[in-house]
Amino acid sequence: MARDRAVVEETKCASATRDTTRYYYIETYGCQMNFNDSEIVASLLEQMGYRATTDIKNADLVFINTCSIREKAEETVRRRLRYFQSVSKSIDRPFKVGVLGCMAERMKKQLLEEEQIVDMVVGPDAYRSLPQLIEEVESGQRAVNVLLSREETYADIQPVRLGSNGVSAFISIMRGCDNMCSFCVVPFTRGRERSRDPYTIVAEAADLFDRGYREVTLLGQNVDSYRWVHPQTGEVVHFAKLLQWCAEIDPRLRIRFSTSHPKDMTDEVLHTIAQYPNICKYIHLPIQSGSDRILELMRRGYTREWYLERIEAIRRIVPDCAVSSDIITGFCTETEEDHQMTLQAMEEADFCMSYMFAYSERPRTWAARNLKDDVPREVKIRRLEEVIQLQKQLSLRHNRRDIGKTFEVLIEGDSKRSSSHFKGRNSQNKMVIFPKVNGYQPGDYVYVRIDDATSATLLGHIVTNH
Ligand code: SAH
Ligand code: SF4
Ligand code: F3S
């Protein structure tokens, strides 16, 4: 009874205050870490009393969480800002616009100068200052905070899961990057590498499990260099230990992680992956190039031989593990021979999937300062096409090998194409589509026998006696 009354009162209260509720709208670009940051921003805004809206016209504050990794990513943001400007002009109550994330960090005040619509510029380590910044903006000023931090990990903030399927979630375990690969803007936009308190990570994963989630992905630019020292006891926690602690929360909670770095990935981590069935047998291990000369210029810290030895170690220690990669074509001075070496390395490593990009010069990076971006655009694109074509063949070959096998699949929801089919992933991170069977729902594990495959998907049916 008491409970019912409370609900009625809450509803009344909500309708009485509806007109004064302030709304935020947030759009996110870039990597998964940025998506996770938007969930932290959402949490901070909700603590301030803002509510989420998906209708930009209804918003008081419009945020865009941005990416600077390639020029194209920044062009997309500029286009969206133009669009915000046109919407804002067309409505009675214009909204304020905040630029968050990596482009905010890279461009700082310059963004305010170049983009009239922007009221607020907030770097990735400055989200805790949003209340003050919003106050400034509401009083008619423009506000900037792009201070980078050596400590900030937002460890105590519980992210508001935006657009979640209720089954899988992401947890940032570290921020920044110290690697300084010569092509990469991330060390400039995200600052120094720092690891988050593992006890808060495990607590967050356990809480997600209690709320029905069945898969967490631990995120960092280089998870293998995760290292946390207990400030009082001096206890040191490395990535292998963190993986183990997460895996021990519950065998029904799947653990994924990204990104692994070839120069730092240890056998110890591989043994931990092999030991726990709920640590997924999938490693994203970007090679970038198959040529030693280019890897050296990229300052990646490994050779082709070292990389392929790491692949061998994976095959030896975690035999059923799938490996995916990132590849850049047309990096400074790349010759046809270097390019051929990349194609060969892809075959040798037998990637199940790759993210592939044409090199885009980024301001302030070592490459921008010291090397000439001398591979013509058409050549970069042609090589990219070749890399994409080869990967398509490798993916198809990989997936065809799975026909006839049975996998444990975590159901994520309806398949995109048909509501009579479910989609889910196997441990190797492959998307599996299969007809629904009564009694199963998202979050359940099922065994699926694979009948067919494309380069992107496995198709199968649920089996009860496998
Ligand atoms: N920390 C991860 C990568 C993060 S960025 C790692 O070290 O592997 C994601 C990918 O974007 C990179 O792996 C790289 O392939 C690509 N990338 C980064 N900078 C780029 C640039 N300037 N031009 C083209 N692709 C780039
Ligand atoms: Fe960029 Fe290299 Fe750091 Fe990855 S490891 S984020 S590519 S600097
Ligand atoms: Fe982009 Fe920043 Fe991620 S540059 S890829 S959003 S760390």
Side-chain angles (χ1 to χ4, degrees):
M1 241 349 246
R3 204 189 157 99
D4 285 347
R5 203 177 313 125
V7 170
V8 171
E9 272 166 15
E10 252 176 46
T11 319
K12 265 193 206 154
C13 181
S15 62
T17 56
R18 189 182 295 149
D19 291 339
T20 57
T21 307
R22 291 174 304 165
Y23 291 95
Y24 70 93
Y25 168 95
I26 188 163
E27 226 172 75
T28 310
Y29 295 88
C31 63
Q32 205 56 58
M33 259 168 269
N34 242 21
F35 282 82
N36 203 219
D37 278 7
S38 289
E39 299 183 328
I40 286 165
V41 168
S43 173
L44 289 162
L45 291 170
E46 300 209 354
Q47 276 171 36
M48 293 172 66
Y50 283 89
R51 293 291 161 259
T53 177
T54 50
D55 179 5
I56 182 172
K57 290 185 177 153
N58 192 30
D60 300 270
L61 289 173
V62 168
F63 289 103
I64 180 159
N65 197 354
T66 60
C67 175
S68 281
I69 201 83
R70 287 166 290 274
E71 206 174 340
K72 250 198 190 152
E74 294 199 352
E75 284 163 8
T76 308
V77 171
R78 301 271 192 180
R79 263 202 312 279
R80 289 308 287 168
L81 290 173
R82 293 286 103 74
Y83 170 70
F84 294 165
Q85 194 156 24
S86 69
V87 176
S88 194
K89 274 189 187 148
S90 73
I91 53 181
D92 299 337
R93 210 168 42 98
F95 44 74
K96 302 287 184 188
V97 173
V99 178
L100 314 174
C102 292
M103 195 173 166
E105 190 62 47
R106 195 182 79 69
M107 305 212 42
K108 306 185 168 67
K109 260 194 181 149
Q110 197 189 335
L111 255 180
L112 292 182
E113 287 151 23
E114 291 179 9
E115 301 285 349
Q116 280 308 308
I117 183 77
V118 177
D119 301 286
M120 202 182 334
V121 176
V122 195
D125 285 347
Y127 298 144
R128 278 183 210 270
S129 68
L130 275 168
Q132 297 91 288
L133 298 172
I134 290 171
E135 205 174 301
E136 281 176 47
V137 163
E138 278 176 349
S139 71
Q141 302 167 54
R142 295 171 100 195
V144 182
N145 187 349
V146 287
L147 285 178
L148 286 173
S149 157
R150 276 175 176 258
E151 288 94 33
E152 182 62 271
T153 58
Y154 301 112
D156 56 320
I157 296 176
Q158 196 183 6
V160 169
R161 304 289 165 187
L162 298 169
S164 160
N165 58 9
V167 176
S168 47
F170 295 87
I171 302 181
S172 293
I173 63 164
M174 54 208 295
R175 299 182 71 83
C177 185
D178 282 351
N179 283 320
M180 301 298 270
C181 301
S182 68
F183 52 80
C184 184
V185 78
V186 170
F188 302 93
T189 62
R190 296 244 159 195
R192 299 305 297 267
E193 180 184 291
R194 67 220 92 124
S195 296
R196 174 179 166 187
D197 178 337
Y199 294 97
T200 69
I201 297 169
V202 173
E204 188 173 330
D207 176 61
L208 284 163
F209 180 75
D210 290 342
R211 284 159 46 203
Y213 286 81
R214 290 294 174 264
E215 182 177 275
V216 295
T217 304
L218 309 178
L219 295 174
Q221 293 295 357
N222 175 358
V223 292
D224 300 291
S225 65
Y226 178 89
R227 183 176 185 275
W228 182 83
V229 184
H230 193 293
Q232 275 89 42
T233 63
E235 171 198 25
V236 179
V237 180
H238 290 293
F239 186 56
K241 182 60 85 184
L242 178 67
L243 267 183
Q244 181 194 332
W245 286 356
C246 290
E248 284 172 357
I249 292 170
D250 194 292
R252 288 165 298 167
L253 181 67
R254 271 185 175 178
I255 313 299
R256 295 189 184 278
F257 53 90
S258 186
T259 301
S260 304
H261 199 299
K263 81 175 163 58
D264 297 320
M265 191 189 64
T266 61
D267 285 0
E268 192 195 359
V269 165
L270 296 177
H271 285 294
T272 308
I273 298 170
Q275 194 186 338
Y276 289 89
N278 60 328
I279 302 182
C280 289
K281 306 298 179 262
Y282 168 67
I283 301 178
H284 184 57
L285 192 71
I287 187 170
Q288 312 296 359
S289 168
S291 151
D292 280 345
R293 195 181 64 79
I294 295 294
L295 285 171
E296 172 92 40
L297 282 177
M298 286 178 162
R299 303 194 148 188
R300 284 288 288 178
Y302 55 85
T303 60
R304 171 200 181 93
E305 195 191 356
W306 173 277
Y307 184 92
L308 292 172
E309 190 283 324
R310 291 289 74 205
I311 294 283
E312 255 178 56
I314 295 171
R315 308 257 184 267
R316 190 172 63 242
I317 301 168
V318 199
D320 53 346
C321 192
V323 180
S324 63
S325 191
D326 290 350
I327 291 159
I328 298 177
T329 65
F331 185 64
C332 313
T333 79
E334 187 188 71
T335 63
E336 218 44 49
E337 207 183 344
D338 295 318
H339 170 60
Q340 289 302 325
M341 294 182 82
T342 299
L343 294 171
Q344 281 166 18
M346 288 171 69
E347 293 230 27
E348 253 179 83
D350 193 25
F351 297 130
C352 64
M353 198 264 296
S354 290
Y355 297 101
M356 298 153 284
F357 315 98
Y359 173 59
S360 163
E361 186 177 86
R362 307 312 293 135
R364 289 177 70 197
T365 57
W366 190 88
R369 286 185 285 111
N370 297 283
L371 302 172
K372 206 163 152 241
D373 182 12
D374 57 358
V375 177
R377 206 183 129 69
E378 323 76 78
V379 177
K380 283 180 187 170
I381 300 294
R382 195 254 304 148
R383 290 181 189 161
L384 178 62
E385 272 310 313
E386 289 176 15
V387 164
I388 291 172
Q389 281 316 317
L390 174 60
Q391 184 55 59
K392 219 171 168 183
Q393 287 171 26
L394 295 179
S395 301
L396 183 63
R397 194 175 75 189
H398 223 278
N399 288 352
R400 290 203 142 266
R401 284 203 298 259
D402 289 336
I403 295 175
K405 291 186 191 163
T406 299
F407 293 108
E408 188 181 45
V409 172
L410 173 61
I411 305 177
E412 289 176 17
D414 284 5
S415 121
K416 245 190 236 155
R417 293 219 188 125
S418 136
S419 60
S420 62
H421 286 67
F422 275 135
K423 67 171 178 190
R425 280 170 205 277
N426 67 5
S427 178
Q428 289 74 12
N429 204 37
K430 290 189 183 175
M431 182 62 79
V432 186
I433 308 286
F434 49 96
K436 285 183 182 173
V437 167
N438 278 346
Y440 295 108
Q441 57 184 19
D444 287 345
Y445 288 99
V446 284
Y447 284 91
V448 177
R449 194 179 150 87
I450 305 306
D451 306 310
D452 203 355
T454 69
S455 61
T457 335
L458 303 179
L459 307 159
H461 63 276
I462 294 181
V463 287
T464 39
N465 50 344
H466 55 276

